Amino acid sequence: MPFPDLPRPAPGDVLLVCTCYEDGEARWGGLLDEVGARREGDTLVLDDGGVRLRPVEGPGWDYLHGGNVPALIPDADADTDAVAPVAVLADISVAYGGDGPLLVDLAVTPGRGVRVPSARLGGILAALLDGTLAFDDLVHGMDRRGMYQGDHGRPAFRAPIPPPRRSFPALPSSGAALLVRTAFADEEGWRALLDALGGPDEDGWVGADPDPDEIDAEHYPLAALVVDDRSFEGLLPGQVPALVPPEEHTTLVALADARTFADPGRPLTVVDLYDAPGHAAVLPCRQVGSLAANLEIGNMDFHEFVAEDGVRPWWEK
């Protein structure tokens, strides 16, 4: 179901959007107390940095994802100087997991996201607004959980920073996973990858109807809609979340990029769409089905599949 538009913030204000509801009531968790702010009318002024947050709540935004936020701010591209370059989401991880809020890029690579500690929100937003900190700095400073300057180890494969504002078409709407080809120099390698995943059926899916008697629990088959379209050549992880339509709950997007056709194990770059949109995990294609299956049933979190720098991944042990 489409989400309603978000209000266009006043110049200098930053939207703080609640995306978690229970029985129609907004669930902010402890965020509003943790950020350190005083209320002035319908805004919150953060003690650290003086940034003005405009809280936004309404059940129409229940389960809104970071990648979908930029498209919901009316005319955000018309006058970028009048709209803050970032929005803040208080999502289910904030409400029930005690996690930090999600900052969503609105300006450079719209839709990608980074989490920040609640107590540091004011200082980080102030630095973003005055230009002493760039969103790219936040992305480079994420730990494997997607937290800026977190203490859970550095990702072994840091996602490249996309060029600003490159246009791609929307990805297909899917309630499962998408396998998107982004490198087109190795046709034989692409066919070998599809064969390794069981081969596409007549509807363009791999792994859509596996034989239960032949499923290897250690290498669960990936069920994904294949997207083989040169319009997505060069697509990078940070650009993916804004391209995923909101109508269905897409599990993940797996990119078959240049690394896929050059490295052993045909690794895919898998993109997180929810916890830290645009965050990437690089893992052998035979493991991506297990990631998708575990995400679908809530058995594991995306970050558990992100290889940590200097630590041997669990799938190699």
Side-chain angles (χ1 to χ4, degrees):
M1 185 175 77
F3 294 103
D5 282 349
L6 289 162
R8 182 178 171 86
D13 287 2
V14 175
L15 293 182
L16 171 61
V17 186
C18 182
T19 68
C20 180
Y21 296 81
E22 185 175 332
D23 297 327
E25 295 294 324
R27 293 290 179 253
W28 294 93
L31 182 67
L32 299 182
D33 295 323
E34 294 165 359
V35 296
R38 66 184 185 276
R39 184 170 289 277
E40 291 186 0
D42 60 355
T43 63
L44 296 173
V45 181
L46 294 169
D47 298 334
D48 184 6
V51 175
R52 299 174 62 88
L53 294 177
R54 180 179 175 186
V56 177
E57 61 180 67
W61 294 298
D62 190 18
Y63 214 50
L64 171 64
H65 307 131
N68 300 131
V69 169
L72 299 181
I73 300 177
D75 301 320
D77 291 336
D79 185 2
T80 55
D81 290 336
V83 177
V86 66
V88 183
L89 298 194
D91 57 8
I92 192 170
S93 295
V94 172
Y96 296 112
D99 216 341
L102 178 68
L103 270 59
V104 178
D105 188 357
L106 301 179
V108 180
T109 308
R112 60 180 173 168
V114 177
R115 292 197 181 273
V116 302
S118 299
R120 297 185 58 196
L121 178 63
I124 290 171
L125 287 178
L128 285 171
L129 294 180
D130 69 19
T132 58
L133 186 69
F135 206 96
D136 288 349
D137 298 325
L138 300 182
V139 173
H140 275 138
M142 287 193 305
D143 67 5
R144 60 190 290 265
R145 288 177 177 260
M147 178 70 72
Y148 175 57
Q149 294 183 341
D151 57 3
H152 290 280
R154 304 286 287 175
F157 302 94
R158 289 204 281 171
I161 300 299
R165 294 289 183 178
R166 181 177 172 188
S167 296
F168 292 95
L171 287 162
S173 182
S174 170
L178 297 174
L179 172 63
V180 183
R181 184 182 184 185
T182 69
F184 290 82
D186 187 349
E187 193 65 32
E188 183 177 341
W190 171 242
R191 294 300 164 195
L193 171 66
L194 294 179
D195 289 344
L197 295 173
D201 64 16
E202 61 183 13
D203 296 318
W205 285 75
V206 291
D209 191 20
D211 185 339
D213 295 329
E214 296 183 2
I215 291 177
D216 180 355
E218 294 296 319
H219 301 137
Y220 200 85
L222 172 66
L225 177 62
V226 176
V227 181
D228 184 5
D229 183 340
R230 280 190 176 270
S231 298
F232 297 103
E233 186 170 15
L235 178 66
L236 296 175
Q239 298 166 317
V240 168
L243 305 179
V244 177
E247 289 81 12
E248 295 194 69
H249 183 73
T250 304
T251 305
L252 55 81
V253 174
L255 305 181
D257 53 21
R259 181 188 283 116
T260 304
F261 307 113
D263 292 359
R266 301 187 182 95
L268 297 174
T269 299
V270 186
V271 184
D272 183 8
L273 303 177
Y274 306 111
D275 289 336
H279 195 23
V282 177
L283 62 163
C285 67
R286 69 182 186 279
Q287 296 293 346
V288 177
S290 296
L291 169 55
N294 278 286
L295 289 180
E296 286 171 356
I297 64 174
N299 186 54
M300 296 177 73
D301 294 320
F302 186 91
H303 69 80
E304 296 178 75
F305 288 82
V306 177
E308 184 177 346
D309 190 23
V311 177
R312 189 178 181 186
W314 61 262
W315 58 82
E316 293 183 0
K317 297 178 181 177

